[in-house]
Amino acid sequence: MLPTESQRIWMYRNMLISRYMEERIETIYMEGKKPVFNMANGPIPGEMHLSNGQEPCAVGVCAHLEAEDIVTATHRPHHIAVAKGVNLKKMMAEIFGKKTGLSGGRGGHMHLFDSTVNFACSGIIAQGMGPAVGAALSRKLQNKSGVAVAYIGEGAANQGAFHETLNLASVWNLPVIFVIEDNNWGISVSKSASTAVAKNSVRAASYNMPGIHIEDNCPDVIFSETKKAIERARNGGGPSLIEIKTSRLAGHFMGDAEGYRPKGEKEQLIKEDPLPIYRQKLIDANIITIDNDSALVEETQKLVEQAITFARESEYAKPEEAMLHVFA
Amino acid sequence: MSATKKLTIARAMAESLAQEMRADPKVFVMGEDIAQLGGVFGNTRGLFDEFGGERVRDTPISETAFIGAGVGAAMDGMRPVVELMFVDFFGVCFDAIYNMMAKNIYFSGGNSHVPMVIMASTGAGYSDGGQHSQCLYGTFAHLPGMKVVAPSNAYDAKGLMTAAIRDNSPVIYLFHKGLQGMGWLGNEPAAINQVPEENYVLEIGKAKTAVEGADISIISIGIGVHHALKAALELEKKNISVEVIDLRSLVPLDREHIIASVKKTGRLLVVDEDYHSFGVSGEIIASVTEHDHKILKTPPCRITFPDIPIPFTRPMEQWALPSTEKIINVCVTMMENK
Ligand SMILES: Cc1ncc(C[n+]2csc(CCOP(=O)(O)OP(=O)(O)O)c2C)c(N)n1
């Protein structure tokens, strides 16, 4: 089933926010890191994993979700956080390590937690899956509504936790959806070099759940294909596994020389950038016009700029506040 | 004397690996991104080109599988060197490490050997957050059956790697990201030093006096040694003479060397980037006081990471980490405290 007009605009709008936010992060991240690139320096230090190219996976699935639904994401979380409705200002402040950030700067970009929209992420591969299963179990035990979505990369499908959590979710018939964002690379190692099957969706058969493979990095297709899985979970039908072919337009993290990519790959991926393609699709379908697209772009950029200003102008917490919040 | 050249720790590790692989066909390397990429931290650079994909193997992100496989291959006569990219990731594969790798020699009554090396990066200081910044020295050292080493400079890195590969027992080889000489993780010039081209072994379990002194013994490992050496220079200006001991190995721990130094100075300061409680710093202090508490003129001190997850944001992280400044302050206080 195709998304409605307003759903399509919602998806496009969130893609715009995520993309612009990352473009800005990319620039700000390099402040203080030139001419010598040292991760420790600049207003945004540490590792930085960008998600541009993968926005359709975030919006196509999250368009079906409410704040009460649970999402666990990975080390590459921005696009999903945006689509799940994580507070933009607090997220940006967290990425800058400021007191006003989601955790006051304790977590950082790989550890964004927003309990108001049930969003969490982890930097350890596949380890978000267990908590997603547990949240689904909790809803079932409490007889409460809501489903859980665990996002992982294709590289995570070779981790023990992947197989254990799929089995557990199936045996206990839990309302959880596992979404694999297949960008073909686990740092420098390609999917075919590391994975025994071409499509991870076939692994669903081992755990007696539907396995869905989505070839198209397009929000509409992802929306339509994932709808059934999410409804199934909501209606007590149990878990599903979904794999989406997507693309990582940037390096694994900032500073990655990307020497492992075959020649021409990057150029091809940029040609297939899902954002301008979707924009054109919406224009062709008369859902947006060139004029109101510009207005939308302007409006979303303003939101991001406001978040950046908020983050920049916020204070750091006092260093000794590091001692707070170890225990509840 | 063979020729020497100036190397980073990363290159010294890779050189030892290459030389051991040339000498012994049983040595092979596996881990994530260690083949064409040469390791995220550069310590396997060049190996894939020389030895090919059979002996330099990129793995799936399946630590339980490939570290467990390392144990089996080692017991079957190979000498695997396995990379765990960040020591923090031990959580997904610890059973293979501490219940198998570390215990199988004992369970076999010494009939089996486990000649295996796990090399893993450690360390904070560049805002990588609480799952990519730990040292966990004490975690590995606590559990019997694994040797644990952590070099502070390229010379030691090469000799310890060669010793680790040739050892018939499992060795955890922990290298600090801040010392690796990768640039993008900062640089510690003193970690880059002259390394003999010829291969050599540095005995595991032997500490080294990095600088001699009369007033305070600073015991440290890895990056802490560099903080201590810098502090020693500053303290000299204040007429405080500091002795710096680079442990190099945690298991076996060179207690004799530590005790001999403290006997001489009468004062003990441990500098450890690992968590404060239940770890290396407590063990060292206990070893000295257990031997003879009367050799101490002042209560022993330690500068460690507080018992909190490592915070991302720079001000909090830097506040929590051991530093040269903290060492200077503690040493001054120790000398006042007569
Ligand atoms: C258990 C574990 N092993 C290794 C890593 C190091 N690591 C971080 S991201 C990554 C690649 C992940 O690939 P994939 O799951 O496909 O996600 P992508 O980076 O493509 O988004 C690796 C190996 C880790 N974080 N956790």
Side-chain angles (χ1 to χ4, degrees), chain A residues 47 49-50 54 74-76 79 110 122-127 152-157 159 180-189 248 251-252, chain B residues 32-33 40 60-63 66 84-86 88-93 131-132:
Chain A
E47 287 185 58
H49 309 84
L50 298 177
Q54 301 187 191
T74 68
H75 57 286
R76 200 180 300 289
H79 56 318
M110 281 192 272
S122 163
I124 305 294
I125 298 306
Q127 289 299 315
I152 54 167
E154 88 292 339
Q159 187 68 213
I180 303 174
E181 294 181 86
D182 173 14
N183 62 21
N184 191 47
W185 293 103
I187 310 185
S188 73
V189 179
R248 189 187 84 200
H252 169 70
Chain B
E32 291 153 19
D33 306 279
V40 170
I61 311 170
S62 309
E63 288 86 354
F66 69 77
L84 179 63
M85 191 187 292
F86 287 73
D88 313 65
F89 306 161
F90 85 101
V92 303
C93 55
Q131 293 176 340
H132 290 77

Side-chain angles (χ1 to χ4, degrees), chain A residues 51-178:
Chain A
S51 63
N52 43 20
Q54 301 187 191
E55 298 93 341
C57 309
V59 298
V61 174
C62 291
H64 300 292
L65 303 182
E66 305 291 336
E68 67 164 15
D69 296 314
I70 299 109
V71 166
T72 63
T74 68
H75 57 286
R76 200 180 300 289
H78 300 157
H79 56 318
I80 306 167
V82 167
K84 188 63 177 62
V86 172
N87 183 293
L88 216 55
K89 284 185 173 168
K90 288 185 182 175
M91 170 164 38
M92 195 60 84
E94 185 62 29
I95 292 168
F96 275 74
K98 297 296 181 73
K99 189 181 171 72
T100 51
L102 292 165
S103 75
R106 289 170 186 80
H109 122 99
M110 281 192 272
H111 309 288
L112 304 170
F113 284 75
D114 188 348
S115 56
T116 62
V117 293
N118 291 298
F119 182 87
C121 50
S122 163
I124 305 294
I125 298 306
Q127 289 299 315
M129 301 180 79
V133 169
L137 173 65
S138 163
R139 295 297 167 92
K140 191 172 170 177
L141 290 176
Q142 299 181 78
N143 215 358
K144 273 194 191 163
S145 59
V147 299
V149 176
Y151 276 93
I152 54 167
E154 88 292 339
N158 299 316
Q159 187 68 213
F162 173 87
H163 298 273
E164 296 185 24
T165 53
L166 259 66
N167 185 59
L168 190 64
S170 182
V171 167
W172 288 351
N173 196 42
L174 297 175
V176 55
I177 298 98
F178 302 100

Side-chain angles (χ1 to χ4, degrees), chain B residues 108-179:
Chain B
S108 73
N111 291 317
S112 291
H113 292 170
V114 186
M116 167 170 175
V117 183
I118 294 180
M119 48 184 182
S121 74
T122 65
Y126 63 102
S127 295
D128 212 356
Q131 293 176 340
H132 290 77
S133 301
Q134 300 167 94
C135 281
L136 304 178
Y137 297 137
T139 305
F140 288 87
H142 177 65
L143 295 157
M146 319 172 242
K147 298 185 180 180
V148 180
V149 302
S152 70
N153 61 78
Y155 177 87
D156 290 355
K158 184 171 174 185
L160 284 172
M161 178 57 81
T162 308
I165 296 169
R166 294 183 191 174
D167 204 306
N168 283 333
S169 301
V171 179
I172 306 283
Y173 186 108
L174 300 172
F175 57 95
H176 197 288
K177 282 165 277 176
L179 301 179

